[in-house]
Amino acid sequence: PKVNFKKPKVNFKKPKVNFKLTMANDEYQVGGSLATDAPSYVERQADIELYNSLKLGKFCYILNSRRMGKSSLLVRIRHVLEQEGFSCTSIDMTRIGSKNITPQQWYKGIAYELWQGFNLYDKVNLKSWWREVEDLSALKKLSHFIERVLLVKIPSEKIFIFIDEIDSMLSLNFSVDDFFDLIFFCYTQRAINPEYNRLTFALFGMSISSDLIRDRNGALFNIGKAIDLHPFQEYEVQPLLKGLTGKINDPQAVLKEILAWTGGQPFLTQKLCELVRKSNRDAISDVLTIPRSSEVFWLEQLVQKHIIEGWETRDELEHLRMIRDRLLSNRQRAGCWLELYQQILQQGGLIADEGPEQMELLLSGLVVKQQGQVRVYNRIYAEVFNQAWIRKQLNKLHPSSQALDA
């Protein structure tokens, strides 16, 4: 069928600020959140969608595997909104804690992060205020704090609260449904109290909404906007060319080949760009057994030598070990995950079905969903977690499977 795909018309207003680059133009950042002025930041469709959705006051959530750029996106969009004069803060849920913590301590910890993040030291004494409402439940205290402190003491036209690492909530020994109900309440209150129109939330983490909402029907996520973090596309990664220019003969061709290896996975793409930038092409070419000057062939040797070979013992390749550890973390379910992954690897992909096994593989980052199919994310993963590796792990889980395999 002939289809005319029109790119959505969106107005992504970039802040009118003069960025002072703190890094050299040819440097990449491998791991961690990129600074707002990082020259190697790659802007994606998610940047535009998140910005526009938040400006419209929508509840947004970004749930994806690790090392996909969630925190960098948070930092970037928060900076853009602050440059436009809005009040923003971020809460890293791991700072509050999840082990041996009571609901009272947890909710007070959130209130403290909000009090500190919005710099309300001189406007309210949190300790005294919290004592004044001691007869209320912890949830009700936080609700009152939002309505009677944040919406009163913060004069900004819009208030944005970014909540990161929400998957840490899964380790709590009490339900977090009430917390999500509170966020949902803030949105439904807009019809009664217009002040709530100023308040907007965004959640970031490595989870799925059904895991976070344990008992109820997930009304919050039904009204929210899911922001998908897609792999880097070739037209998006032009900022990465700066670090390759002057280091190799054809930077554009090498960058294209880097994407062929990484599939646009953000962490690996930055990692491979950094490897290329630091590598001495001539020194590596001297040891090649097959004399070819091709950039493609040279890059293949680089990947084999510095990423695939010995990945389990290289300190800088913790990313690959995190995927391995997540796949093998649950001995009872690991066999199912490995067998499903084996099917995807053998067949080149499977139809996406939103089943728990597929969702676990997606959260591990090993596979990606594209055009209705789940496939191995990239060539690096396919070569590291290959058929031999799968058989080895299955044999460890079920020694008797060796006979079945034969």
Side-chain angles (χ1 to χ4, degrees):
K2 295 181 179 179
V3 183
N4 293 321
F5 178 73
K6 295 182 179 179
K7 193 173 183 179
K9 295 181 179 180
V10 290
N11 296 318
F12 180 56
K13 297 180 181 179
K14 294 184 178 180
K16 295 180 179 180
V17 293
N18 295 319
F19 289 135
K20 295 181 179 180
L21 300 184
T22 57
M23 300 189 298
N25 284 339
D26 60 351
E27 287 189 3
Y28 303 96
Q29 181 171 331
V30 182
S33 301
L34 273 70
T36 56
D37 57 359
S40 63
Y41 183 84
V42 175
E43 186 178 288
R44 289 176 276 181
Q45 184 65 25
D47 292 68
I48 300 171
E49 290 183 4
L50 181 59
Y51 171 82
N52 285 327
S53 297
L54 290 177
K55 285 293 292 288
L56 291 173
K58 293 182 179 180
F59 165 67
C60 297
Y61 57 97
I62 300 90
L63 306 177
N64 213 309
S65 58
R66 294 201 181 280
R67 303 292 176 88
M68 277 295 292
K70 294 186 295 297
S71 295
S72 296
L73 174 63
L74 186 161
V75 170
R76 189 81 164 191
I77 297 302
R78 173 181 171 175
H79 178 75
V80 172
L81 293 170
E82 287 177 333
Q83 291 298 312
E84 294 181 1
F86 303 124
S87 296
C88 306
T89 194
S90 308
I91 303 177
D92 185 333
M93 298 307 292
T94 60
R95 282 169 52 90
I96 299 175
S98 59
K99 294 181 180 179
N100 302 319
I101 190 172
T102 67
Q104 190 76 220
Q105 293 170 327
W106 192 74
Y107 282 104
K108 187 176 182 180
I110 294 174
Y112 176 82
E113 292 292 323
L114 293 173
W115 175 74
Q116 183 183 55
F118 286 119
N119 196 21
L120 297 173
Y121 309 110
D122 299 331
K123 297 182 179 179
V124 62
N125 185 312
L126 180 63
K127 191 173 182 179
S128 300
W129 186 92
W130 200 261
R131 277 201 305 266
E132 291 173 5
V133 292
E134 61 181 356
D135 293 336
L136 301 178
S137 68
L139 177 71
K140 192 67 174 177
K141 289 178 182 178
L142 180 59
S143 178
H144 275 21
F145 183 80
I146 291 172
E147 182 171 306
R148 301 180 182 182
V149 177
L150 295 190
L151 294 179
V152 173
K153 301 296 183 180
I154 300 175
S156 174
E157 177 189 352
K158 291 183 182 293
I159 302 169
F160 296 97
I161 299 175
F162 298 88
I163 305 177
D164 199 9
E165 302 289 352
I166 59 170
D167 43 290
S168 67
M169 298 180 188
L170 298 176
S171 301
L172 293 168
N173 56 12
F174 53 88
S175 174
V176 292
D177 286 1
D178 288 341
F179 175 70
F180 292 114
D181 285 345
L182 174 57
I183 297 177
F184 182 67
F185 169 81
C186 290
Y187 281 84
T188 57
Q189 276 295 102
R190 290 176 172 183
I192 302 171
N193 184 351
E195 282 296 299
Y196 277 92
N197 285 292
R198 299 166 52 213
L199 184 62
T200 302
F201 292 85
L203 304 185
F204 296 73
M206 188 183 71
S207 185
I208 55 177
S209 57
S210 59
D211 285 340
L212 296 169
I213 306 295
R214 297 173 183 174
D215 301 322
R216 307 203 230 296
N217 61 6
L220 173 62
F221 291 89
N222 290 335
I223 68 166
K225 168 71 173 176
I227 306 295
D228 293 324
L229 279 178
H230 296 294
F232 288 166
Q233 302 299 310
E234 187 175 354
Y235 70 89
E236 296 172 332
V237 295
Q238 297 310 299
L240 301 180
L241 277 176
K242 288 183 178 180
L244 304 179
T245 303
K247 302 291 182 180
I248 47 180
N249 295 333
D250 192 344
Q252 190 72 56
V254 170
L255 185 56
K256 183 176 182 179
E257 189 62 18
I258 286 174
L259 292 180
W261 273 100
T262 68
Q265 203 283 337
F267 172 81
L268 288 177
T269 302
Q270 294 267 359
K271 173 71 176 176
L272 204 44
C273 284
E274 179 70 359
L275 276 175
V276 170
R277 189 188 72 84
K278 290 183 175 180
S279 297
N280 185 323
R281 189 184 189 286
D282 294 331
I284 293 178
S285 298
D286 290 340
V287 300
L288 298 182
T289 56
I290 303 175
R292 286 179 59 185
S293 59
S294 168
E295 304 281 14
V296 171
F297 185 73
W298 169 71
L299 184 63
E300 181 176 355
Q301 302 303 304
L302 198 67
V303 173
Q304 291 290 340
K305 181 178 179 181
H306 293 278
I307 294 183
I308 295 176
E309 294 176 7
W311 65 272
E312 290 189 282
T313 57
R314 291 180 184 269
D315 292 340
E316 70 274 17
L317 294 177
E318 181 191 4
H319 171 67
L320 297 176
R321 292 192 292 277
M322 288 171 60
I323 294 175
R324 175 201 64 189
D325 294 344
R326 185 174 179 94
L327 280 178
L328 305 177
S329 61
N330 187 323
R331 188 175 180 85
Q332 292 181 331
R333 299 177 63 187
C336 293
W337 298 336
L338 288 170
E339 288 169 2
L340 178 61
Y341 169 63
Q342 188 175 44
Q343 292 180 44
I344 295 172
L345 185 62
Q346 289 173 339
Q347 300 177 28
L350 293 175
I351 296 175
D353 61 10
E354 304 296 332
E357 284 79 18
Q358 278 196 10
M359 293 307 300
E360 183 60 35
L361 288 181
L362 286 167
L363 286 178
S364 74
L366 185 56
V367 301
V368 64
K369 184 169 69 174
Q370 289 182 334
Q371 298 177 336
Q373 283 214 329
V374 175
R375 61 173 182 81
V376 182
Y377 202 123
N378 56 52
R379 186 177 170 186
I380 290 176
Y381 293 164
E383 294 209 13
V384 168
F385 304 104
N386 55 24
Q387 293 288 355
W389 182 85
I390 296 172
R391 285 194 296 271
K392 181 180 178 181
Q393 304 309 318
L394 287 174
N395 288 338
K396 287 181 179 179
L397 291 169
H398 309 292
S400 59
S401 66
Q402 295 181 30
L404 293 173
D405 188 50

